[in-house]
Amino acid sequence: MEADERAERGERILDAACELLLAWGYRRVTADEIARRADVGKGTVYLHWKNKDALLLAVVLRAKAADHRRQLDRMRADPRDILPSRALRGALLDFMDDPVLRALYLDDSDILGRLHDIAKKELVELVEAGHETLRSQLSTLRAHGLVREDLSVDQQMYVCLATVTGYVQAEVLLPDHAPGRPEERADLLCHTVRTALEPHGDPDPRAVAAAAPGVITRYARLEELSRQEVRRQLRQ
Amino acid sequence: MEADERAERGERILDAACELLLAWGYRRVTADEIARRADVGKGTVYLHWKNKDALLLAVVLRAKAADHRRQLDRMRADPRDILPSRALRGALLDFMDDPVLRALYLDDSDILGRLHDIAKKELVELVEAGHETLRSQLSTLRAHGLVREDLSVDQQMYVCLATVTGYVQAEVLLPDHAPGRPEERADLLCHTVRTALEPHGDPDPRAVAAAAPGVITRYARLEELSRQEVRRQLRQ
DNA sequence: TGCGTGACCAGATTCGACATCTGGTCACGC
DNA sequence: GCGTGACCAGATGTCGAATCTGGTCACGCA
């Protein structure tokens, strides 16, 4: 059997599941309809995933992997994006663009239903790895003078996580008062994190260039891990 | 009839309702049990409030009024608490202390049930007034050089609201990673807001003293408005 | 020979009629 | 004349019947 064909079919099933998940929500999505939209028999769905939850979890994991991918691409295109302010700015823009991430981070139970709880349990490892990546990123940047040392690394992690959480939640909690353009809101997050953690003035390009490879390597590892998690849901 | 006695009875009913709301949640609270705990007949409850929702809304409004009261007391005790970083630090500590505010701001539907939706509709005016107070506070402090002018007032409002939202949500979303002591978490919020909005270095005490009366007057007005809203729920 | 399929079944979910509970009223009595 | 609790209509909960759906597997097509 063609491995490529199998993989392509798997993607088609994921696409159909993703479409249905966003349109109907977890509770209303049926294995029958996923198979119909993906143009395969229902049994074929179960040749790829052991059950419906594993399939829908894979939809969420694929969105997260794509998110990590975009983050990594940005850092490779412009190393200044390794700075926490710029990295979180990008993360917020990605979040605003991707309806699956929106549903996941806003805990939209209309869409995710109990999938959120399942995802939380299954993603513990990945979230932990994300936190470790952030910790390592902050440590590296401190060593290069790109992040201040007036707070501990743990405190800076909390600042990053709490602040980005606020801007994410603000997307739904403060629909009025929000500056109209997504970029403007992302720039405000950037400003908040930069002033909280980074030294004044523009970052030294040589320090950025020196710190980039290490940070990018860690993010590449995180991206690889998230792609692994998508595959891990597959039956074989 | 003694007006004092009536008011005292009203408080007792509010206390009982508050206790039950936190212990049982909106859905399980009954007018019968509130009356029993407050040692009054059920009819008496309805002499004070036109229905159960108005009573439970009054519970929430009373918590919000007490919150405004504490904020005002702090500003009067130490005028430096008019600075946004210090004001939001206090707001976060208050939030962490008061279970009703916790339920309200975290949208705890186990406790509030549909009361949250009712409150959102009824509180539009008060929330709007709170935002106007914040806007006026920022303008006043900018005029006294206590808040920077590198962002617009609207942008600074969004920074305040989004950031405090994040630290509030972080209380439940990041139970691990959170520094153990509430004060430490509040200090991190203080740091974040201060670096985002305020000039470097300690604030000029004379500028603070000059700006304080105006800001305190606005907060006093807000507190009065919130007390009015509690009374407005009463039947007479 | 082996991958893909859809009819099939057990168990989960939904529905709706019936029973119980509770918000709000008001005639009574202290 | 204010406070009360018995009372009632409508809201809410219960539980079995009917329907739906996840997951399997015997079959057939390539």
Side-chain angles (χ1 to χ4, degrees), chain A residues 2-15 48:
Chain A
E2 293 285 337
D4 279 2
E5 196 184 314
R6 183 186 165 86
E8 193 274 333
R9 213 188 300 237
E11 284 296 313
R12 228 169 52 230
I13 294 170
L14 278 175
D15 289 340
H48 288 252

Side-chain angles (χ1 to χ4, degrees), chain A residues 1 6 9 27 39-44 47 114:
Chain A
M1 179 197 111
R6 183 186 165 86
R9 213 188 300 237
R27 284 161 42 88
D39 245 319
V40 295
K42 188 165 66 156
T44 307
L47 290 178
R114 52 172 255 249

Side-chain angles (χ1 to χ4, degrees), chain B residues 111-168:
Chain B
I111 291 182
L112 294 184
R114 50 174 257 249
L115 190 58
H116 186 261
D117 295 328
I118 299 169
K120 208 150 60 171
K121 270 172 203 139
E122 291 293 321
L123 288 183
V124 165
E125 201 186 335
L126 193 54
V127 168
E128 206 46 58
H131 287 166
E132 276 318 306
T133 303
L134 176 58
R135 166 173 280 119
S136 134
Q137 176 184 16
L138 288 169
S139 298
T140 305
L141 295 177
R142 285 163 72 109
H144 287 84
L146 293 165
V147 161
R148 296 206 304 268
E149 302 197 311
D150 53 349
L151 296 178
S152 71
V153 173
D154 279 342
Q155 289 176 321
Q156 289 176 328
M157 281 188 62
Y158 194 72
V159 169
C160 287
L161 296 173
T163 306
V164 78
T165 295
Y167 280 83
V168 161

